[in-house]
Amino acid sequence: MKTQQDVFNLLQQLMVKEFELDASQITPDANLYEDLDLDSIDAVDLVVKLREITGKKIEPEAFKSARTVNDVVNAVYVLIEA
């Protein structure tokens, strides 16, 4: 993954597969909880899947402030670039 767009594409595919969302719903500005109807369990599942894919240790705390898809993309991008 070289760009934030790559991270977004990966996240979009993951969310379609894991949470049965429509890809058109998953936009950078989509709110994880209000627009995509994720809950705290879904958020933990997402962190676990991202950890498996990236091979990076991702702490759930890193995502506590994430509210939008773009927030998650940015947090993952920072971790993989570190």
Side-chain angles (χ1 to χ4, degrees):
M1 288 181 287
K2 298 201 179 347
T3 67
Q4 287 180 308
Q5 184 64 45
D6 293 337
V7 175
F8 174 79
N9 293 341
L10 171 76
L11 183 62
Q12 187 180 48
Q13 292 168 6
L14 181 65
M15 293 176 90
V16 166
K17 181 180 172 210
E18 295 298 319
F19 305 120
E20 299 175 359
L21 295 168
D22 189 282
S24 66
Q25 294 176 281
I26 305 165
T27 64
D29 294 329
N31 186 290
L32 299 172
Y33 306 105
E34 294 167 15
D35 299 329
L36 302 179
D37 205 28
L38 299 185
D39 60 25
S40 57
I41 302 298
D42 294 332
V44 171
D45 289 344
L46 185 60
V47 168
V48 170
K49 293 289 180 190
L50 289 168
R51 185 183 304 154
E52 290 171 5
I53 291 168
T54 63
K56 299 284 185 177
K57 185 173 170 82
I58 300 173
E59 298 297 335
E61 293 80 38
F63 291 94
K64 277 196 175 160
S65 63
R67 294 288 173 258
T68 66
V69 170
N70 202 48
D71 291 342
V72 176
V73 168
N74 289 334
V76 171
Y77 186 74
V78 165
L79 285 170
I80 62 173
E81 289 297 304

